Amino acid sequence: MSPSDEVPEAVPSVAQVEANLSAVHAKIREAGGDPSTVRVVAVTKGFAPSLASVARAAGLRDLGENYAQELVAKVDALRDHDGSPAFGGDGDGDGGLVWHFLGRLQTNKVRAIADLVGLWQSVDRAALIQQIARRAPRAAILVQINLAGESQKGGCAFADVAPLVGQARDAGLDVRGLMGVAPAGRPDEARPGFRRLVSLADELGLVERSIGMSNDYTVAVEEGSTMVRIGRGLFGPRPRTDTP
Ligand SMILES: *Cc1c(COP(=O)(O)O)cnc(C)c1O
């Protein structure tokens, strides 16, 4: 994307994002969650790179992207903005940002973002595990499950989760938990898939359950989400519609 393709007017203000984040925290509380333990991953995909510094100024620390190129562009924009290292690693405790990779990932893209990603959330196959282990040894990952068996979505089958967790550990990766994307539909229809993911995470002793997006995160929190991934609910409609 060239700078002329950016739509700066579509980037919300810090005040708007702060207000939206407070509303999200309130809804997490209403759903029985604790905003200090349910992490809000702010999904910046589809927006101009300048959104990353807006998100940070609004107090967000976990940012999510779906495409390697967009992630690199946003990290560069943050560097240009304030000269601080946008970070790497998981950034815990240093007030830095943690970038979450959420999209379908080709193995040949891993290298370009290996130093930038703090949590690889969309790990769904052995080849990707091997490549991440090679380019980002000991990286933290989530195994993504395809909750409703939709062929156009990423994620492995429920039956493949335990073997993939084993392979990832054998490869030296730090498996933190499971991730899933509910099928489009009424929020309540997401519940059975979320419930199944959470019970599998319990069974495998995995702490993180990354479930819930703008339209279904309250259901996800009710079901035990530890990480909600929210784009439109924080930033409004995405200016570019070629992102899933
Ligand atoms: C786009 C995306 C989100 C955020 O979606 P919103 O509906 O904008 O909240 C969360 N998770 C994944 C994997 C996504 O691709």
Side-chain angles (χ1 to χ4, degrees), residues 43 45 66 102 179 181 213-215 229-233 238 244:
V43 182
K45 69 179 180 193
N66 284 51
L102 309 175
M179 186 272 247
V181 178
M213 310 187 1
S214 294
N215 69 331
R229 309 175 310 268
I230 302 188
R232 292 167 299 159
R238 279 182 276 282

Side-chain angles (χ1 to χ4, degrees), residues 39 90 92 118-119 138-143 169 173-178 201 205-209 226-227:
R39 275 158 95 175
D90 68 11
D92 283 353
L119 182 62
R138 295 176 299 284
I141 69 161
L142 305 182
V143 171
R169 286 183 174 147
L173 297 176
D174 175 12
V175 184
R176 300 266 177 95
L178 304 178
L206 296 168
V207 173
E208 298 289 356
R209 303 91 199 270
T226 60
M227 215 177 253

Side-chain angles (χ1 to χ4, degrees), residues 145-150 158 181-183:
I145 306 178
N146 192 328
L147 295 180
E150 297 171 284
F158 275 93
V181 178

Side-chain angles (χ1 to χ4, degrees), residues 56 61 71 74-79 82-89 91 96-99 115-116:
R56 184 173 54 185
R61 288 297 172 265
L71 171 53
K74 289 195 174 74
V75 170
D76 284 348
L78 280 171
R79 268 195 200 113
D82 57 16
S84 70
F87 81 80
L97 294 175
V98 179
W99 285 100
D115 294 337
L116 307 176

Side-chain angles (χ1 to χ4, degrees), residues 10 12 16-17 20 43 45 47 51 214 231-239:
Q16 258 174 306
V17 176
N20 292 342
V43 182
K45 69 179 180 193
F47 281 93
L51 183 65
S214 294
R232 292 167 299 159
L234 288 169
F235 305 126
R238 279 182 276 282

Side-chain angles (χ1 to χ4, degrees), residues 32-243:
D34 176 352
S36 68
T37 57
V38 178
R39 275 158 95 175
V40 175
V41 177
V43 182
T44 51
K45 69 179 180 193
F47 281 93
S50 60
L51 183 65
S53 59
V54 171
R56 184 173 54 185
L60 290 154
R61 288 297 172 265
D62 292 280
L63 304 189
E65 275 292 335
N66 284 51
Y67 293 95
Q69 251 177 298
E70 272 198 72
L71 171 53
V72 170
K74 289 195 174 74
V75 170
D76 284 348
L78 280 171
R79 268 195 200 113
D80 293 347
H81 188 255
D82 57 16
S84 70
F87 81 80
D90 68 11
D92 283 353
D94 63 9
L97 294 175
V98 179
W99 285 100
H100 298 243
F101 195 83
L102 309 175
R104 291 185 98 163
L105 184 55
Q106 295 168 270
T107 51
N108 64 4
K109 296 282 170 60
V110 169
R111 188 180 184 178
I113 56 173
D115 294 337
L116 307 176
V117 174
L119 182 62
W120 306 78
Q121 291 214 12
S122 51
V123 178
D124 62 358
R125 62 198 190 278
L128 192 51
I129 286 170
Q130 297 312 322
Q131 193 62 14
I132 293 171
R134 181 163 167 223
R135 301 295 182 186
R138 295 176 299 284
I141 69 161
L142 305 182
V143 171
Q144 183 183 353
I145 306 178
N146 192 328
L147 295 180
E150 297 171 284
S151 58
Q152 75 280 18
K153 281 200 179 131
C156 67
F158 275 93
D160 294 332
V161 172
L164 285 175
V165 167
Q167 286 171 31
R169 286 183 174 147
D170 290 345
L173 297 176
D174 175 12
V175 184
R176 300 266 177 95
L178 304 178
M179 186 272 247
V181 178
R186 284 188 300 109
D188 210 53
E189 290 167 357
R191 197 180 296 278
F194 289 163
R195 196 166 282 184
R196 204 171 159 200
L197 180 148
V198 168
S199 84
L200 184 53
D202 282 344
E203 222 173 274
L204 298 173
L206 296 168
V207 173
E208 298 289 356
R209 303 91 199 270
S210 174
I211 47 175
M213 310 187 1
S214 294
N215 69 331
D216 57 22
Y217 71 93
T218 56
V219 173
V221 169
E222 285 167 8
E223 294 300 330
S225 177
T226 60
M227 215 177 253
V228 292
R229 309 175 310 268
I230 302 188
R232 292 167 299 159
L234 288 169
F235 305 126
R238 279 182 276 282
R240 288 168 62 220
T241 50
D242 56 333
T243 49

